[in-house]
Amino acid sequence: MNGRFVRPNPLPGFGPAFGVTLAWVALIVLIPLTALALRPWSLGITGVLASLESPRVLAALKLSFGASLAAAAINVPLGLLVAWVLVRGRFPGRQLADALVDLPFALPTAVAGIALTTLYAPNGWIGGLVAPFGIDLAYAMPGIMVALVFAGLPYVVRTVQPVLMDLPAEVEEVAATLGARPPQILVRVVLPAILPALLTGFGMAFARAVGEYGSVIFIAGNMPGLTEIAPLLIVIRLEQFDYAGAAVLALAMLMLSFTMLGAVNLLQQRLARRAR
Amino acid sequence: MNKRMALKSAAAALLLTITIGSRPAAAQDSLLNVSYDPTRELYREVNRVFPAVWQKQTGRSIAVNTSHGGSGAQARAVLDGLQADVVTLALASDIDALATRGLVAKDWQTRLPEGSTPYTSTIVFLVRSGNPKAIRDWPDLVRSGVRVITPNPKTSGGARWNYLAALGWALRQPGGTEATGEAYLRRLFAQVPVLDTGARGATNTFVQRGLGDVLLAWENEALLSREELGADRFEIVYPSVTIRADPPVAVVDAVADKRGSRAPAEAFLRFLYSPEGQEIAARHHFRPRDPVVAARYEQKFPPVPTFGIELFGGWPEAQARHFAEGGVFDQVTTPAH
């Protein structure tokens, strides 16, 4: 350390780049989040706690985080499968399938929600198949899961895909010639190499699902305590002009997400180190 | 070199922002009306007709723009700085929220006739063709096997009118008390399978998804649904008594004074009360205040006994008692322990 905050870097243009980065991150991320973190305390610490501990709030938080974890967990094996097929498979229309994976990124969430609801409602193509058996897809838990899995899928596929591509098919072939059976190849050769990427994908899919509002709102049913997600509760508080109460919930969600993503990152770093 | 370029571009960006931001406010040749969802078709026509009237009165031209959304969200947008010259919302309490924060004068409701509500509507039942579940009145809604579609009163202004209409009926029954009213609401919301966030969303759930046996709706939305989707698919049922829903209008004083648009803003709202404005409102399924226009539309708007928001002590009281956090709505929708 020579008394400067940033040590001189031989890279050309590092100084300005660092400055712009810092300013940009502050403007786009840090300042809004700081404002959010400061907002609730006008209620006092007891007010903040009181506005969090109602059964309805707890139910919404449990639903949002539980369903998001479950959706991310479903997306990991399915996303891996899709990525593996896209990387290793050679079939007509592969590039089209590859492009389709990105659609959930691009589609406005409301459009996704309406499309999924149309399909899964009791009078929809898929919902209509199971409705005679008394099974509700839309306006119930399964509907929420479908929307969250839909939103999270590309995150897993797109993080795993490049790593799979870098993993030469020869590695799998060599393992086979050394006598490994297919399940052994998967568990002992392929999985260790892509596990860090899978974890990143899991984290991103989870984060996206927690924040998802637009599509879930159409398919969830939104019944208090049953199918009401936490972001809707935030909107409801805003409708009551209860800005501080909304900020309390937002902050709680932010902290929970931050902790969970932090844990995922830590685990991923440890894995990456061990792999080396 | 790099540094200088960065500085230059930053300065240019700053300059651009300033020039755009400081365009003179003198041009009051436009009005922004911030409204709620079901008035889309109404204000599309008003915005087309009013400029000609204004031109004839003053010789000046004017363009009116309208933004639509949930009533509460729209009020919040104005609170957060949306430069609305006038607001035409679903509930007085949304304009009250603007008044509490000093954007609208406290006495806004006395500045125009009829409590600043140029047109009214009411809450009706929309049922499927032939009325297969024989739904005629409020008690039929809580019969077993009847599913009711209504949006969430927390997020929808229209849903608050639905809720109060149901409660008002229960209160006016022989022996009706707050307790029997709340018991009725609890049974009613137990029949609701989906709480959409807005009135249009609930209409879609009922009409497009085929969910539910009866939709609680604004009369204007019900008439519009029938007009758009075919009168043979749905029927409107008028219950024995319902609420008179009066959507209010007001000039946003803070904005009108700053932009110098008070004169056209006031003229715009007064136009809604004129025979021409009332005619447009009636055509778009809102009940006109003007008795002459109302007489012409008697067929369309059958007389129905109503009570007003006064039954609940006015909006501020109804809002605090029923729709605040932990209020009666929260209580009747929490599963009993």
Side-chain angles (χ1 to χ4, degrees), chain A residues 13 16 56-57 114 117-118 121-123 139 213 217 221-224 228 232 235-243, chain B residues 72-73 75-76 79-80 94 97 101 152 154-155 189 192-195 197 205 208-211 323 325 330 333:
Chain A
R56 189 168 167 200
V57 171
I114 291 169
T117 312
T118 310
N123 67 351
Y139 311 116
Y213 175 76
I217 231 59
N222 307 325
M223 299 305 291
E228 185 176 64
L232 173 61
V235 173
I236 286 176
R237 287 194 170 171
L238 285 177
E239 294 288 337
Q240 293 162 197
F241 302 102
D242 178 10
Y243 289 66
Chain B
R76 233 175 21 254
L79 274 184
D80 292 342
D94 286 329
R101 285 159 181 82
N152 189 337
K154 295 275 197 168
T155 50
F189 279 96
V192 177
V194 184
L195 278 178
T197 49
T205 298
Q208 313 284 1
R209 312 268 168 266
L211 217 69
F323 308 119
E325 184 92 24
D330 280 347
T333 49

Side-chain angles (χ1 to χ4, degrees), chain B residues 12-80:
Chain B
L14 203 66
L15 210 67
L16 198 69
T17 324
I18 292 171
T19 16
I20 292 171
S22 64
R23 250 181 13 202
Q28 7 83 344
D29 48 1
S30 72
L31 281 181
L32 177 60
N33 169 18
V34 168
S35 193
Y36 62 113
D37 261 328
T39 57
R40 241 168 254 276
E41 293 77 12
L42 165 65
Y43 282 108
R44 195 176 300 146
E45 188 168 352
V46 171
N47 293 353
R48 212 176 43 233
V49 177
F50 171 72
V53 175
W54 179 248
Q55 176 102 42
K56 211 160 30 175
Q57 276 174 9
T58 63
R60 302 179 61 118
S61 65
I62 193 154
V64 190
N65 297 305
T66 306
S67 113
H68 298 273
S71 187
Q74 292 290 80
R76 233 175 21 254
V78 175
L79 274 184
D80 292 342

Side-chain angles (χ1 to χ4, degrees), chain B residues 288-311:
Chain B
R289 290 283 194 185
D290 187 313
V292 181
V293 180
R296 270 205 299 275
Y297 282 89
E298 234 171 25
Q299 288 286 308
K300 181 171 181 177
F301 303 114
V304 51
T306 56
F307 47 84
I309 186 69
E310 317 80 62
L311 185 65

Side-chain angles (χ1 to χ4, degrees), chain B residues 97-112:
Chain B
L98 299 181
T100 332
R101 285 159 181 82
L103 288 168
V104 175
K106 289 257 187 277
D107 65 344
W108 65 270
Q109 244 179 330
T110 59
R111 292 193 297 191
L112 286 165

